[in-house]
Amino acid sequence: MAIEIEQPTVGLSKVAVSETHGEDSPYFAGWKAYDEDPYDESENPSGVIQMGLAENQVSFDLLEEYLEKHSEASTWGKGAPGFREHALFQDYHGLKSFRQAIASFMEQIRGGRAKFDPDRVVLTAGATAANELLTFILADPGDALLVPTPYYPGFDRDLRWRTGVKIVPIHCDSSNNFQVTPQALEAAFKDAEVMNIKVRGVLITNPSNPLGATIQRSVLEEILDFVTRKNIHLVSDEIYSGSAFSSSEFVSIAEILEARGYKDSERVHIVYSLSKDLGLPGFRVGTIYSYNDKVVTTARRMSSFTLISSQTQHLLASMLSDQEFTKNYIKINRERLRKRYEMIIEGLRNAGIECLKGNAGLFCWMNLSPLLKTQTREGELTLWKSIIRDLKLNISPGSSCHCSEPGWFRVCFANMSEQTLEVALKRIHNFMDQRKTETN
Amino acid sequence: MTLTQIRTQSKEPEHPPRKPTGATGMRLIVPLQGVVQGRGGLILGSLIPCALFYFFHLYLKRHRSANPSSNPPSPSASSPNLADIPRTASRSNLSSRGSFGPGRASISTRAMSIAKPNDSPYYIGLDKVSGNPYDRTSNPDGIIQLGLSENRLCLDLIEKWMAKNLRDSIVGTDGDDLNINGITTYQPFDGLMELKVAMANFMSRVVGKVVSFDASQMVLTAGATPAVEILSFCLADHGNAFLVPTPYYPGFDRDMRWRTGVELVPVHCRSTDNFILSVTALEQAYNHARKRGLKVRGLLISNPSNPVGNLLPRERLFDILNFAQEKNIHIISDEIFAGSVYGEDEFVSMAQILEEEDFDKNRVHIIYGLSKDLSLPGFRVGAIYSYNENVLTAAKRLTRFSSISAPSQRLLASMLSDASFIEEYIETNKKRIGNIYGLFVEGFRRLGIRCMESSAGLYCWADMGKLIPSYSEKGELDLWDKLLNIAKINVTPGSACHCIEPGWFRCCFTTLTEDDIPIVIERIRKVAETCKSPG
C-alpha cells in the first residue's frame, strides 16, 4: 500500500477561526433546543417556545393591509417604468426619496421633537452592519468602546470580531434600576486606562436592550457631558425608539442636541433600523445618522459593502412617506406592545415573579434571583438550563448580556401570538406553583 | 481643468506618514552608537538607543492619554442643508495618526485614509460623469460614460418579465394572495435556500451546463463587493498579501484591502502575452513578496478578465492550480463576467477543472453575482462558492453584515427559476454584447486604435499608446484628462488598473446603443487628431 503523505492543508485567517462569532458559547444551547423541538400551536404544543428572539410580529397586519391597498406603490407599475433606474442603481448615497422617508419616519417617532436631515442618513443592510461600520470608523484595532451592562449579546460579535476593537463594560446594577451613573462611566474609563487601552467612545442602546426601558433625560445629559469631557464619541443605538409604549417617555439624544443648539454634536451618531419597529428584519434596512461630516462621508463609502437593494428602498420609500400610514402605525404599534407588556407582567406577577419596570421594547427584564441556589453565574446557568429542559422556554440569561448581578433574564413577548404567550405564562405559573408546594 | 493628483505606479503607502518623533529618534541613535565602543559595541550600540527610544515613545504615549483636550471645540454647523463636505483645514484638523485632535473626537486611522478624496482616475471619472451625464436628448453635450462596466443591453427583456410576472406586488409570488409572511422575519443571513438553488442552476446554465453547482456550497452576499471582502477576511490576516495579475479591476484595492489590512502584490502581465498570466510572472511576484517579508495567502484572478476581457486557457488554469498547491495558498476566482462571453473562445470555470481533474479543492473559492450577467447591480446579489467547509462556515457567519434583502431574494429566485426566460436571456445577451463589441472595435480601428483580442466582458482594452506624448504614466493621464474634459468621454486609464505598460484604456460599451457609437468615435477622433505624436 502506498504511503500517504499528508499535504499541508491550506490555512484560514485568525478572523475565520476566532470564536468571537459567539455561536459556540453555552448560550447557544437554548437556540439548539428550540431548533430541535420548536413549539407549534397545533403540531407541537409541548415544544420549546422561543422567547429569546427580539422580533416584532404584533403589527404585521397593518403592513399587509397597507401593501394590499397600495400595490401600485410597491410595484413599478404597468410596463415597469422606473424599474430600469432601480435595476442599475448602486449608488451608495441611496435613493433620495428613501432617505427622506427614513428621516421623516425618525422625526415622527420622536413626536417632531427633533429634526433629521436626509443628507446625513447613511444606509446599511441592517443595524448589525451599521454598528460594525461605525466601530471601524471611530476606533482602531486595540481601541475600546465603553458599553453599559447589561447589553445585547450580539455586540460582542458586531463591535469586535472583524474590527479588532474591544468592549469595556460600564457596570450598572439593580440598586438604581441599572441606570448609568457618572461614577460608573468614570470607573469604566479608568479600567481601560489601567489596561492601557484607548477609549474612542461610548455606545448606548436607548431604549435599552435587554432592560426594556428608556434612558432618562438627566442620564443622557450626563453621558453627553462625559463624552464631551473625555473628547470621545457617543453612539446611540435607537433601534427600539418606535417601540416605546408612549411617545413622550422616550427621549432621543437628538432632542438633547437640539436643545443644546447642536453645540459639539460632531461626536454623536445615531443608529436606527426597521427590523424592530416595523417588524421587517428580513428586509435588512439599517441606518447611521451622524452629525459628523467626515463620518457621514466615510460611512457612505464603506456602506459599499452593505448596500440595501434598490427594490427594497423603492418599496419602503413610498410606504414611509405616507405620513397618515406611519402616524397610525406608530400609534397602534405602541399600544399593542404596551398591552403585551402588561399581559406578561401581570402573568409573571401572579406567578410571584417580579420584573424591572419597563416602558419600551419587545421584552421584559425578569428577576429570578430568589430562585437561584447560589447567587452566582453558575447558579444562573443551572436555573436557565432547567428552564429550557423543564419549562421548554428559551429565554436569555443575564450573564449572556454581561449583567453583573446573577438571576436576571430577558423574556421576549412580541414574536408570538397572544395564545402562545398564554401557554408560556401557564407553564411558568405551574412551575412556580410546584416550587411553592415543594418548599412547603 | 487641471489634472488631479497623479497616482504613482507603486501602491499607495498603507500607513499614514511617520510621526516626527521617528526622525528625532534617529538623531539620538546614531551618535549614541558612536559612544558605546569595544566588544559587542555594535550590538549594544544599536540595542541601547533603540531600547531608550522605545521607552521614550512609550512614556510619551502613556502621558498623552492623560492630557485633557486643550482647545475648546469650534462651533459646529447645524447644517440643515448639508451639501459639500467642508474642506477648510481647521475643520479637518486631525493629526495623521487620527489620535488626539484638539477638542474634536477624531476618527480612526483606517477611516482617515478612506475619508480622503478619491485620487484614483477610476473614481474621479465616475464622479465627473454623475455631475454631467450624457443624454441624447436632454444633455447631448454631457460626458459619455465608458468607465462603468454596466450592461444595459438586455434590460428590456427583464422589464418585460417583470411586467408579466409581477401582477399584484413585488412581495408576492406567483400572483398569489398578497403574502409577505415568511420574508419579513429574520432569514438565514447567507441567503434563502430557494435563491441558492436558483443561483446554482443559473451559474450552471451560464457555463453551458458543463458543470453543476451545489447550493450547499454557496453563501449569498449583498453584491460581489462584500463577497470579495469576506473572502479576504477569511483567508488572510492583517498584513498578509494576495497576488493579483495586472491589469486588474480598480475596486479590488478597496474591496480586498480597506478594512482587512491585507496587501495586494501585482503580478505583471504584458501585451506580448495578450496580458495573460504567465507562471514566470507568478513566481517572480511570489518571490518579490517573500523578499518584502510578506506572507502570501492567495492568488486572486478574474476570469473572464477585467479590464482586458480575455479568458484564461485551460492549461493556464492547471498551471495556477499547481502553483497554488506548491506554495500552499488559496485561489479566488472572480467569475462574475462568465455570462458575458460573446466570442468564439471557450470559457472554462475553475469549477469545471476541479470536476474534471484531481486537484485539491479546499483552496479554491469562486466569486459570482448578478450585477453583470443579469444587469441587476441595484438588487445586490453576490455569491461565494467554495469547496472548503471551514471557509463556508466562517463566510456564512460574516454574511450577517451583508445580507440580501428578502423581497429581492424572493423576486430573483422566481426569475432565475424561469428556465425558458433565462435561456432566452443568456443567448440574447451574448449576441447583443458581441454586436456592440464588433461595431465599437471597428470604430476604434478606423481611428488607428487597436484593441486587445477579447471575447468576454462589457468593455474592450484599447491601446492608445500612439496618442500619448510621452510613453509614461503621466502621458497616459494627460490623455485621460483630455478625453474626460475635452472629448467628454470617461474611460479608465490602465494606470488605475495597475497596468505596467502605459497607454492602455478600458472602454465599456454596454451602456451604449448602436447610434451612440459614431458619436463616441467622433469625439475621440477630434482629440486623437490633436494628440498625434510627431514622427
Side-chain angles (χ1 to χ4, degrees), chain A residues 8 11-14 21 23 55 71 74 84 87 89 117 119-120 136-137 139-140 157 163 200 231 233 262 266 276 281-283 293 297 301 305-306 309-312, chain B residues 76 79-80 82 85-86 91 98 104-110 114-116 159 168 170 184-186 226 233-234 236-237 297 328 330 377-378 397 400-402 405-406 408:
Chain A
L12 267 60
S13 67
K14 296 197 191 93
H21 52 76
E23 284 172 25
E55 207 173 59
S71 63
S74 64
R84 220 170 250 255
F89 186 81
D117 178 358
D119 287 332
R120 289 194 175 280
F136 267 119
I137 292 175
D140 284 306
R157 170 198 57 214
T163 61
R200 299 310 286 265
N231 191 25
H233 292 274
Y262 294 103
E266 279 165 17
K276 311 295 181 182
F283 281 37
D293 299 346
T297 315
R301 290 183 183 165
F305 297 108
T306 184
S309 164
S310 56
Q311 172 202 11
T312 300
Chain B
S76 50
S79 2
L82 172 68
I85 291 85
R91 296 244 333 168
R104 181 148 284 125
S106 52
I107 58 179
S108 65
T109 314
R110 54 189 157 194
I114 299 171
K116 281 196 318 237
E159 261 172 354
D168 298 299
I170 297 171
T184 56
T185 53
Y186 279 105
F233 268 114
C234 287
D237 292 316
R297 299 306 290 266
N328 193 24
H330 292 274
R397 290 177 176 147
R400 69 183 332 102
F401 300 110
S402 310
S405 195
S408 300

XYZ file of all heavy atoms in Angstrom, chain A residues 8 11-14 21 23 55 71 74 84 87 89 117 119-120 136-137 139-140 157 163 200 231 233 262 266 276 281-283 293 297 301 305-306 309-312, chain B residues 76 79-80 82 85-86 91 98 104-110 114-116 159 168 170 184-186 226 233-234 236-237 297 328 330 377-378 397 400-402 405-406 408:
648
model
N -0.003 19.554 3.464
C -0.381 20.604 4.424
C -1.698 21.232 3.962
O -1.811 21.657 2.822
C 0.768 21.606 4.338
C 1.415 21.347 3.020
C 1.198 19.912 2.710
N -4.348 27.081 5.129
C -4.889 27.652 6.357
C -5.867 28.786 6.146
O -5.972 29.368 5.071
N -6.587 29.093 7.228
C -7.514 30.207 7.220
C -6.977 31.320 8.104
O -5.998 31.143 8.814
C -8.879 29.747 7.750
C -9.883 29.286 6.691
C -9.343 28.118 5.917
C -11.190 28.910 7.359
N -7.649 32.461 8.083
C -7.179 33.614 8.849
C -7.577 33.491 10.322
O -8.398 32.659 10.689
C -7.815 34.884 8.295
O -9.214 34.839 8.550
N -7.038 34.400 11.127
C -7.398 34.424 12.553
C -8.869 34.798 12.704
O -9.565 34.268 13.571
C -6.525 35.458 13.288
C -5.058 35.121 13.280
C -4.295 35.917 14.353
C -2.802 35.772 14.175
N -2.185 36.835 13.366
N -17.510 35.026 17.003
C -18.859 34.980 16.460
C -19.856 34.523 17.519
O -21.055 34.706 17.381
C -18.907 34.042 15.252
C -18.334 32.682 15.530
N -18.999 31.728 16.256
C -17.140 32.150 15.196
C -18.225 30.655 16.349
N -17.099 30.867 15.723
N -21.044 31.727 18.406
C -22.005 30.638 18.208
C -21.645 29.382 18.975
O -22.443 28.458 19.069
C -22.148 30.333 16.721
C -22.992 31.394 16.017
C -22.993 31.213 14.514
O -22.771 30.075 14.069
O -23.205 32.202 13.792
N -38.144 39.893 18.101
C -38.739 40.177 16.807
C -40.143 40.706 17.057
O -40.817 40.239 17.977
C -38.821 38.865 16.023
C -38.785 39.016 14.538
C -38.709 37.657 13.862
O -39.621 36.847 14.093
O -37.751 37.433 13.118
N -50.860 48.580 -3.803
C -49.997 47.691 -4.575
C -49.258 48.441 -5.665
O -48.142 48.100 -6.014
C -50.787 46.546 -5.173
O -51.743 47.059 -6.077
N -45.983 49.615 -4.558
C -44.912 48.665 -4.285
C -44.450 47.920 -5.524
O -43.557 47.113 -5.453
C -45.346 47.680 -3.214
O -46.429 46.911 -3.690
N -35.908 50.326 -14.638
C -34.557 50.388 -15.200
C -33.588 51.126 -14.271
O -32.489 50.660 -14.005
C -34.640 51.141 -16.512
C -33.814 50.622 -17.639
C -34.197 51.312 -18.924
N -34.881 50.373 -19.796
C -34.295 49.833 -20.874
N -33.065 50.143 -21.190
N -34.958 49.000 -21.633
N -32.894 49.059 -11.247
C -32.107 47.856 -11.541
C -30.616 48.201 -11.557
O -29.780 47.409 -11.138
C -32.526 47.268 -12.881
N -29.293 50.982 -10.137
C -28.919 51.921 -9.079
C -28.103 51.255 -7.980
O -28.608 50.494 -7.177
C -30.197 52.524 -8.482
C -29.942 53.609 -7.480
C -29.664 54.899 -7.901
C -29.962 53.344 -6.116
C -29.424 55.908 -6.972
C -29.726 54.342 -5.189
C -29.454 55.632 -5.626
N -31.918 65.442 8.931
C -31.539 65.868 7.590
C -31.275 64.640 6.733
O -30.353 63.874 7.031
C -30.273 66.726 7.711
C -29.745 67.183 6.371
O -30.323 66.821 5.329
O -28.732 67.899 6.373
N -29.692 64.176 4.169
C -28.321 64.083 3.667
C -27.346 63.549 4.701
O -26.183 63.304 4.394
C -27.845 65.448 3.163
C -28.518 65.803 1.851
O -28.879 64.876 1.094
O -28.705 67.000 1.584
N -27.834 63.386 5.922
C -26.960 62.804 6.952
C -27.304 61.343 7.193
O -26.738 60.693 8.062
C -27.103 63.574 8.270
C -26.488 64.937 8.216
C -26.333 65.530 9.623
N -25.638 66.784 9.549
C -24.317 66.902 9.437
N -23.563 65.839 9.415
N -23.765 68.093 9.332
N -15.657 50.480 12.939
C -14.499 50.570 12.039
C -14.059 52.023 11.892
O -12.867 52.326 11.794
C -14.862 50.065 10.640
C -14.579 48.610 10.390
C -15.606 47.734 10.078
C -13.287 48.108 10.440
C -15.355 46.382 9.826
C -13.025 46.765 10.190
C -14.077 45.907 9.888
N -15.040 52.928 11.849
C -14.737 54.329 11.583
C -14.247 55.061 12.818
O -13.401 55.948 12.720
C -15.996 55.031 11.022
C -16.314 54.481 9.630
C -15.791 56.539 10.949
C -17.601 55.019 9.057
N -12.921 53.704 15.731
C -11.875 53.103 16.560
C -10.913 52.274 15.742
O -11.285 51.670 14.736
C -12.517 52.239 17.650
N -9.666 52.222 16.188
C -8.651 51.382 15.552
C -8.547 50.058 16.302
O -9.013 49.954 17.440
C -7.301 52.092 15.567
C -7.214 53.187 14.522
O -7.469 52.872 13.342
O -6.909 54.338 14.881
N -19.953 40.351 19.153
C -19.563 39.943 17.820
C -19.531 41.153 16.902
O -18.522 41.397 16.218
C -20.580 38.908 17.342
C -20.522 38.501 15.909
C -21.837 37.833 15.541
N -22.961 38.722 15.792
C -24.171 38.341 16.187
N -24.422 37.058 16.390
N -25.139 39.219 16.386
N -13.378 44.043 13.556
C -12.799 45.356 13.793
C -11.558 45.300 14.675
O -10.706 46.170 14.593
C -13.803 46.271 14.504
O -14.120 45.659 15.776
C -15.088 46.427 13.705
N -12.402 55.139 22.590
C -12.784 56.020 21.489
C -14.223 56.486 21.604
O -14.618 57.434 20.935
C -12.606 55.316 20.141
C -11.200 54.892 19.811
C -10.172 56.002 19.977
N -10.227 57.009 18.930
C -9.470 57.013 17.835
N -8.594 56.055 17.661
N -9.589 57.961 16.944
N -13.592 63.929 25.349
C -13.364 64.100 23.904
C -13.445 62.780 23.145
O -12.559 62.420 22.374
C -12.006 64.773 23.639
C -11.872 65.202 22.192
O -12.856 65.431 21.497
N -10.639 65.292 21.709
N -16.413 59.744 21.292
C -17.669 59.697 20.551
C -18.804 59.122 21.391
O -18.577 58.480 22.404
C -17.498 58.817 19.307
C -16.578 59.402 18.288
N -16.987 60.285 17.326
C -15.245 59.211 18.092
C -15.957 60.622 16.588
N -14.886 59.990 17.022
N -27.107 72.099 18.976
C -26.158 71.265 18.231
C -24.711 71.616 18.520
O -23.823 71.326 17.718
C -26.416 71.349 16.722
C -27.748 70.750 16.353
C -28.839 71.557 16.054
C -27.923 69.371 16.341
C -30.070 71.006 15.753
C -29.159 68.818 16.039
C -30.231 69.642 15.750
O -31.441 69.102 15.450
N -20.730 66.910 16.812
C -20.000 66.072 15.861
C -19.508 64.770 16.439
O -19.017 63.915 15.709
C -18.800 66.847 15.314
C -19.227 67.788 14.217
C -18.160 68.807 13.929
O -17.006 68.569 14.344
O -18.469 69.812 13.299
N -37.031 46.278 14.069
C -37.813 46.101 15.296
C -39.131 46.856 15.233
O -40.201 46.305 15.419
C -37.013 46.570 16.518
C -35.608 46.021 16.571
C -35.566 44.515 16.754
C -34.133 44.018 16.821
N -34.048 42.567 16.955
N -37.172 42.602 9.794
C -35.747 42.263 9.838
C -35.262 41.598 8.555
O -34.103 41.718 8.190
C -35.639 41.304 11.030
C -37.011 40.749 11.212
C -37.955 41.822 10.777
N -36.158 40.921 7.845
C -35.743 40.229 6.621
C -35.391 41.195 5.495
O -34.695 40.832 4.549
N -35.839 42.439 5.603
C -35.597 43.400 4.535
C -34.200 43.998 4.630
O -33.716 44.589 3.666
C -36.635 44.537 4.593
C -37.973 44.174 4.014
C -38.516 42.910 4.171
C -38.690 45.109 3.298
C -39.748 42.576 3.639
C -39.942 44.795 2.750
C -40.463 43.526 2.922
N -19.568 65.336 9.619
C -19.472 65.250 8.162
C -18.503 64.184 7.686
O -18.772 63.450 6.730
C -19.016 66.603 7.584
C -20.005 67.709 7.896
O -21.130 67.395 8.312
O -19.641 68.887 7.721
N -19.312 60.939 5.297
C -18.623 60.607 4.043
C -18.023 59.216 4.081
O -18.175 58.426 3.153
C -17.438 61.567 3.805
O -17.847 62.883 4.055
C -16.901 61.449 2.406
N -19.050 55.678 2.002
C -18.161 54.910 1.132
C -18.069 53.475 1.600
O -18.092 52.529 0.823
C -16.768 55.533 1.132
C -16.743 56.849 0.418
C -15.371 57.446 0.350
N -15.440 58.747 -0.282
C -14.480 59.650 -0.243
N -13.366 59.377 0.406
N -14.630 60.810 -0.832
N -20.075 47.921 1.116
C -20.042 46.515 1.488
C -21.382 46.042 2.030
O -21.541 44.857 2.323
C -18.973 46.273 2.559
C -17.579 46.584 2.089
C -16.905 47.703 2.550
C -16.951 45.763 1.162
C -15.618 47.995 2.106
C -15.669 46.049 0.714
C -15.004 47.170 1.177
N -22.335 46.956 2.158
C -23.569 46.567 2.829
C -24.732 47.431 2.337
O -25.442 48.039 3.130
C -23.368 46.650 4.366
O -24.517 46.200 5.043
C -22.958 48.019 4.831
N -30.880 46.697 -1.195
C -31.426 46.520 -2.531
C -32.289 47.720 -2.917
O -33.113 48.190 -2.135
C -32.272 45.248 -2.557
O -33.100 45.238 -3.700
N -32.102 48.205 -4.156
C -32.858 49.370 -4.604
C -34.350 49.059 -4.655
O -35.189 49.923 -4.454
C -32.372 49.802 -5.990
O -32.469 48.713 -6.887
N -34.668 47.797 -4.884
C -36.068 47.383 -4.904
C -36.701 47.651 -3.536
O -37.789 48.204 -3.419
C -36.161 45.894 -5.232
C -37.561 45.332 -5.093
C -37.583 43.824 -4.897
O -36.554 43.196 -4.662
N -38.742 43.240 -4.989
N -36.000 47.271 -2.486
C -36.497 47.470 -1.122
C -36.576 48.950 -0.794
O -37.544 49.401 -0.167
C -35.578 46.749 -0.129
O -35.572 45.362 -0.439
C -36.041 46.938 1.302
N -20.031 73.942 15.897
C -20.293 73.088 14.745
C -21.501 73.604 14.009
O -22.437 74.116 14.589
C -20.539 71.654 15.210
O -21.493 71.648 16.235
N -25.856 72.545 9.993
C -26.070 72.151 8.595
C -27.387 71.466 8.310
O -27.427 70.263 8.119
C -25.012 71.210 8.050
O -24.079 70.869 8.934
N -28.472 72.212 8.287
C -29.719 71.600 7.865
C -29.671 71.238 6.393
O -30.404 70.409 5.920
C -30.774 72.678 8.129
C -30.020 73.956 8.155
C -28.626 73.655 8.536
N -26.877 70.002 4.346
C -25.517 69.547 4.119
C -25.324 69.319 2.641
O -25.966 68.485 2.039
C -25.269 68.242 4.865
C -23.946 67.570 4.538
C -22.803 68.401 5.052
C -23.870 66.197 5.185
N -18.843 68.454 1.555
C -18.084 68.234 2.777
C -17.156 69.425 2.941
O -16.391 69.741 2.039
C -17.265 66.943 2.702
C -18.197 65.738 2.726
C -16.318 66.840 3.851
C -18.747 65.347 1.458
N -17.233 70.126 4.075
C -16.382 71.299 4.278
C -14.921 70.929 4.155
O -14.491 69.950 4.750
C -16.694 71.742 5.708
C -17.931 71.041 6.084
C -18.043 69.823 5.245
N -11.449 72.596 10.092
C -12.435 71.595 10.444
C -11.832 70.207 10.358
O -12.232 69.302 11.041
C -13.630 71.686 9.482
C -14.333 72.978 9.599
C -15.698 72.919 10.058
N -16.445 71.742 9.823
C -17.604 71.538 10.420
N -18.044 72.429 11.262
N -18.298 70.476 10.180
N -4.686 60.177 13.470
C -6.089 60.084 13.830
C -6.269 60.047 15.323
O -7.297 59.644 15.821
N -11.726 67.764 19.356
C -12.662 67.181 18.409
C -12.400 65.686 18.339
O -11.328 65.264 17.958
C -12.437 67.830 17.056
C -13.374 67.321 15.971
C -13.668 68.417 14.972
N -14.623 69.363 15.531
C -14.416 70.664 15.624
N -13.291 71.175 15.227
N -15.320 71.461 16.132
N -13.386 64.908 18.745
C -13.184 63.459 18.738
C -12.870 63.018 17.321
O -13.634 63.256 16.403
C -14.429 62.760 19.254
N -11.754 62.374 17.156
C -11.309 62.066 15.801
C -11.763 60.678 15.385
O -12.209 59.872 16.190
C -9.797 62.156 15.744
O -9.270 61.366 16.780
N -11.632 60.435 14.093
C -11.989 59.114 13.607
C -10.747 58.244 13.551
O -9.632 58.723 13.736
C -12.676 59.196 12.221
C -11.768 59.875 11.208
C -13.990 59.935 12.344
C -12.390 59.948 9.821
N -10.937 56.957 13.294
C -9.829 56.012 13.354
C -8.846 56.238 12.206
O -9.164 56.882 11.210
C -10.360 54.588 13.287
O -10.964 54.371 12.023
N -7.664 55.672 12.367
C -6.630 55.784 11.338
C -7.088 55.178 10.025
O -6.898 55.757 8.947
C -5.357 55.047 11.791
O -5.077 55.405 13.134
C -4.188 55.413 10.905
N -7.722 53.994 10.113
C -8.120 53.360 8.855
C -9.230 54.158 8.185
O -9.307 54.188 6.963
C -8.540 51.904 9.069
C -9.599 51.676 10.095
C -9.785 50.199 10.376
N -10.363 49.989 11.687
C -10.398 48.830 12.314
N -9.857 47.764 11.748
N -10.964 48.718 13.490
N -9.773 56.410 4.196
C -10.973 56.258 3.395
C -11.663 57.599 3.205
O -12.322 57.842 2.197
C -11.928 55.241 4.063
C -11.244 53.880 4.160
C -13.235 55.124 3.292
C -11.999 52.868 4.980
N -11.486 58.480 4.191
C -12.160 59.778 4.129
C -11.506 60.712 3.129
O -12.117 61.654 2.652
C -12.167 60.409 5.518
N -10.227 60.450 2.797
C -9.522 61.321 1.841
C -10.262 61.349 0.522
O -10.874 60.363 0.128
C -8.107 60.780 1.594
C -7.138 61.106 2.691
C -5.680 60.919 2.270
C -5.417 59.684 1.457
N -4.408 58.816 2.042
N -37.438 43.906 -18.055
C -38.627 44.726 -17.853
C -39.874 43.947 -18.252
O -40.890 43.950 -17.569
C -38.546 45.981 -18.728
C -38.074 47.211 -18.007
C -37.839 48.370 -18.958
O -37.942 48.177 -20.192
O -37.550 49.468 -18.461
N -49.521 41.521 -8.726
C -50.041 42.331 -7.626
C -48.974 43.120 -6.902
O -49.137 44.273 -6.588
C -50.761 41.432 -6.615
C -51.936 40.744 -7.256
O -52.837 41.451 -7.710
O -51.903 39.515 -7.336
N -44.528 43.201 -5.701
C -43.194 42.613 -5.710
C -43.083 41.511 -4.681
O -42.426 40.523 -4.860
C -42.146 43.679 -5.357
C -42.129 44.772 -6.397
C -40.789 43.055 -5.229
C -41.280 45.927 -5.982
N -40.587 38.693 5.935
C -40.348 39.848 6.791
C -39.490 39.477 7.988
O -38.723 40.280 8.479
C -41.669 40.422 7.333
O -42.363 39.381 8.006
C -42.522 40.952 6.208
N -39.631 38.245 8.440
C -38.914 37.813 9.650
C -37.437 37.583 9.353
O -37.008 37.632 8.208
C -39.507 36.502 10.177
O -39.513 35.556 9.092
C -40.924 36.695 10.668
N -36.671 37.311 10.413
C -35.246 37.039 10.237
C -35.076 35.814 9.335
O -35.697 34.787 9.527
C -34.568 36.777 11.589
C -34.238 38.057 12.323
C -34.988 38.475 13.410
C -33.166 38.854 11.918
C -34.694 39.656 14.071
C -32.858 40.030 12.568
C -33.638 40.431 13.646
O -33.335 41.600 14.293
N -18.984 42.773 -1.159
C -18.737 42.142 0.138
C -18.254 40.698 0.024
O -17.561 40.210 0.909
C -20.085 42.213 0.854
C -21.092 42.477 -0.196
C -20.389 43.180 -1.305
N -11.118 38.559 4.372
C -11.098 38.422 5.834
C -10.874 36.978 6.266
O -10.253 36.718 7.301
C -12.420 38.906 6.441
C -12.443 40.350 6.857
C -13.269 41.269 6.224
C -11.637 40.813 7.896
C -13.291 42.611 6.606
C -11.656 42.145 8.291
C -12.493 43.049 7.637
N -11.408 36.039 5.498
C -11.344 34.634 5.912
C -10.023 33.970 5.581
O -9.623 33.011 6.233
C -12.453 33.819 5.241
S -14.074 34.135 5.915
N -6.916 35.581 4.886
C -5.662 36.273 5.198
C -5.785 37.095 6.460
O -6.868 37.579 6.801
C -5.283 37.186 4.031
N -4.654 37.243 7.160
C -4.608 38.111 8.330
C -4.140 39.496 7.913
O -3.582 39.687 6.837
C -3.639 37.549 9.377
C -4.147 36.260 9.993
O -5.351 36.195 10.317
O -3.351 35.314 10.141
N -1.054 34.702 0.989
C -2.078 33.736 1.375
C -2.861 33.230 0.184
O -3.553 32.219 0.281
C -3.062 34.358 2.378
C -2.469 34.820 3.676
C -1.680 33.746 4.411
N -2.514 32.703 4.955
C -2.999 32.668 6.203
N -2.697 33.647 7.032
N -3.744 31.670 6.623
N 1.088 26.227 -1.357
C 0.048 26.036 -0.343
C -0.727 27.327 -0.062
O -0.825 27.795 1.087
C 0.632 25.477 0.964
C -0.464 24.974 1.904
O -1.558 24.620 1.474
N -0.185 24.965 3.197
N -4.308 29.923 -1.329
C -5.675 29.862 -1.843
C -5.760 30.443 -3.252
O -4.868 31.170 -3.690
C -6.612 30.682 -0.953
C -6.809 30.102 0.405
N -7.759 29.148 0.688
C -6.167 30.352 1.582
C -7.697 28.840 1.968
N -6.752 29.558 2.539
N -27.337 45.299 -10.839
C -26.450 45.684 -9.731
C -27.212 46.306 -8.573
O -26.777 46.213 -7.432
C -25.501 46.695 -10.375
C -26.214 47.201 -11.584
C -27.062 46.080 -12.067
N -28.368 46.906 -8.859
C -29.121 47.578 -7.798
C -29.706 46.634 -6.766
O -29.965 47.028 -5.629
N -21.108 33.062 8.587
C -21.294 33.868 9.800
C -21.099 35.343 9.504
O -21.731 36.194 10.115
C -20.309 33.424 10.879
C -20.648 32.064 11.430
C -19.635 31.587 12.439
N -20.059 30.315 13.015
C -19.230 29.359 13.399
N -17.930 29.542 13.286
N -19.690 28.247 13.906
N -23.890 38.139 8.015
C -24.840 38.926 8.790
C -24.628 40.417 8.553
O -25.528 41.222 8.800
C -24.722 38.613 10.271
C -23.422 39.098 10.883
C -23.269 38.716 12.339
N -24.525 38.579 13.002
C -25.121 37.415 13.273
N -24.537 36.300 12.977
N -26.287 37.370 13.849
N -23.417 40.779 8.107
C -23.121 42.192 7.872
C -23.451 42.608 6.442
O -23.369 43.792 6.107
C -21.635 42.468 8.150
C -21.217 42.143 9.561
C -20.388 41.060 9.830
C -21.657 42.915 10.631
C -20.007 40.756 11.138
C -21.279 42.615 11.937
C -20.453 41.534 12.191
N -23.805 41.668 5.593
C -24.026 41.975 4.172
C -25.067 41.046 3.566
O -24.794 40.382 2.572
C -22.722 41.787 3.389
O -21.662 42.452 3.992
N -31.571 41.677 0.802
C -32.925 41.970 1.246
C -33.867 40.867 0.778
O -33.850 40.468 -0.393
C -33.342 43.319 0.647
O -34.471 43.801 1.302
N -34.708 40.396 1.708
C -35.554 39.234 1.421
C -36.497 39.390 0.221
O -36.626 38.450 -0.577
C -36.325 38.832 2.668
N -36.068 40.977 -2.476
C -35.272 40.830 -3.692
C -34.876 39.382 -3.902
O -34.839 38.894 -5.037
C -34.014 41.710 -3.623
O -34.389 43.062 -3.488
